[in-house]
Amino acid sequence: MNNRDYKKFNRGSIAHIYNRGNNKEKIFFDEQDCKAFLFRLGLCLGFTEKELKEDSLLAMPFSRIRITEMVKGNFKLHVFSLMPNHFHLLIEQCGDVSISKLLSKTCASYSKYINKKYTRVGHAFQDCFKAVLIEDNSQLVWISSYIHTNAVKDGIVKHPKDYKWSSYNDYAFDRNLVIVSKEFLLETFGGKENFIEQNSYVKETL
């Protein structure tokens, strides 16, 4: 069930967050764009530029981004997938700062980036982001699998391991991006082997 009353986010909430480009247009045109989004998300999660630049998948070496007032520990990013015209995130709110603040800062900064890079104006994203609160472990397992197999279902790759713009390889192959918090989800799946098995196929769609 979609929950668009963001005031209901509270400490301990885990939410599936997703949004797409305005008019279903692309929001990620190349690898630099994916890096730019993840770098901004990392800053909003409270990581420093130095921490983010140590990983080639997150590094923006000439960045002059300034995102303030975000403290590490307020949120945990459990899962992500960046598709050409939309994104999926599975985020846990660990403190009193709302998930909506995290997303508004990330998306506002990325919108400025993409408008400047591609000489465009207006909103990069369609309306506000959508949010589905996770209510139990079975929903958590299904949603995480849906996100990790999204690129397969869209025909971009044949296996989730071949798509580097998701967190699948952090779980299945110990890629260990600093922004991804893996412990809780691996515990929920019952270990890496069960994670790999249950992420091989998802029948349903949102």
Side-chain angles (χ1 to χ4, degrees), residues 31 35 51-61 164-165 177:
E31 291 198 349
K35 287 185 177 184
E51 289 175 302
L52 299 172
K53 288 177 180 178
E54 289 177 352
D55 195 297
S56 61
L57 203 68
L58 305 174
M60 295 291 290
K164 66 181 179 180
W165 301 111
L177 286 182

Side-chain angles (χ1 to χ4, degrees), residues 52-173:
L52 299 172
K53 288 177 180 178
E54 289 177 352
D55 195 297
S56 61
L57 203 68
L58 305 174
M60 295 291 290
F62 304 109
S63 171
R64 294 183 178 177
I65 304 165
R66 294 293 178 266
I67 296 178
T68 60
E69 300 179 1
M70 303 305 283
V71 177
K72 187 185 293 185
N74 281 330
F75 308 97
K76 289 182 180 178
L77 174 66
H78 295 289
V79 176
F80 75 86
S81 180
L82 309 185
M83 305 294 288
N85 72 343
H86 67 281
F87 66 80
H88 295 274
L89 308 172
L90 193 61
I91 296 177
E92 179 179 354
Q93 181 175 319
C94 303
D96 296 326
V97 180
S98 175
I99 290 174
S100 59
K101 184 173 183 179
L102 170 72
L103 265 293
S104 64
K105 281 182 172 286
T106 301
C107 291
S109 180
Y110 184 75
S111 292
K112 291 179 181 178
Y113 157 84
I114 198 173
N115 283 349
K116 182 177 181 180
K117 179 178 178 180
Y118 297 105
T119 318
R120 49 177 287 171
V121 295
H123 299 290
F125 297 99
Q126 178 177 296
D127 199 12
C128 293
F129 66 88
K130 315 305 186 294
V132 178
L133 290 177
I134 303 300
E135 298 180 356
D136 53 44
N137 283 354
S138 61
Q139 184 187 14
L140 176 67
V141 166
W142 187 87
I143 288 292
S144 65
S145 296
Y146 174 85
I147 295 172
H148 280 139
T149 59
N150 209 218
V152 177
K153 292 193 294 293
D154 281 9
I156 298 176
V157 295
K158 292 183 177 180
H159 192 279
K161 67 180 174 61
D162 299 321
Y163 194 67
K164 66 181 179 180
W165 301 111
S166 86
S167 51
Y168 177 86
N169 287 328
D170 296 289
Y171 286 93
F173 297 103

Side-chain angles (χ1 to χ4, degrees), residues 32-45:
Q32 183 187 39
D33 295 344
C34 293
K35 287 185 177 184
F37 184 88
L38 292 179
F39 188 83
R40 286 161 171 78
L41 178 59
L43 290 176
C44 288
L45 289 168

